[in-house]
Amino acid sequence: KQNLFEFTIPGDRKTYRLPLMQYLGADFADRMNALAPKIAQARENGENAANPEVLALSSRLQREIFEHYVPGLYDKLAADQVGALADAWREASTVGLGESSASAES
């Protein structure tokens, strides 16, 4: 349980779990690490990750991760709830989308 992020959905008694970002499966971790330079470049360009291509890639990967670990999650939540969940998940993790696990260990 220490490597998991637990959450509930309003009106649902079930507790859902996602691995913390640093404990994602290798495929998801590799894809996050590949996306990290694009996010960093957008920030360096003053885009603050608002680059449409970077946002689309990041959102798509986030959805794949959430749906892999909690199938049907996007059908149960409104867009703002998904955003709040993603923010809480990032805060609970020691790495974020756009950071490699190596940077979290330093």
Side-chain angles (χ1 to χ4, degrees):
K1 279 189 164 186
Q2 70 185 30
N3 298 335
L4 298 173
F5 172 72
E6 295 184 337
F7 63 97
T8 57
I9 295 173
D12 189 341
R13 297 177 72 178
K14 183 175 178 179
T15 298
Y16 297 91
R17 293 172 182 83
L18 289 167
L20 296 172
M21 287 184 181
Q22 61 271 27
Y23 297 104
L24 287 172
D27 177 59
F28 288 131
D30 287 348
R31 292 171 59 199
M32 282 179 61
N33 288 337
L35 188 54
K38 292 179 183 183
I39 292 173
Q41 185 64 48
R43 286 184 182 141
E44 285 177 22
N45 292 342
E47 298 168 359
N48 198 16
N51 177 308
E53 175 190 0
V54 173
L55 279 174
L57 291 169
S58 177
S59 294
R60 188 173 21 239
L61 180 55
Q62 175 184 287
R63 184 175 185 143
E64 284 183 53
I65 291 168
F66 283 7
E67 288 291 326
H68 176 79
Y69 292 105
V70 184
L73 181 66
Y74 273 64
D75 293 333
K76 297 176 184 182
L77 299 175
D80 63 330
Q81 291 173 310
V82 171
L85 173 62
D87 290 343
W89 181 51
R90 274 191 295 276
E91 286 179 25
S93 299
T94 60
V95 298
L97 192 57
E99 296 179 50
S100 68
S101 56
S103 66
E105 294 167 4
S106 53

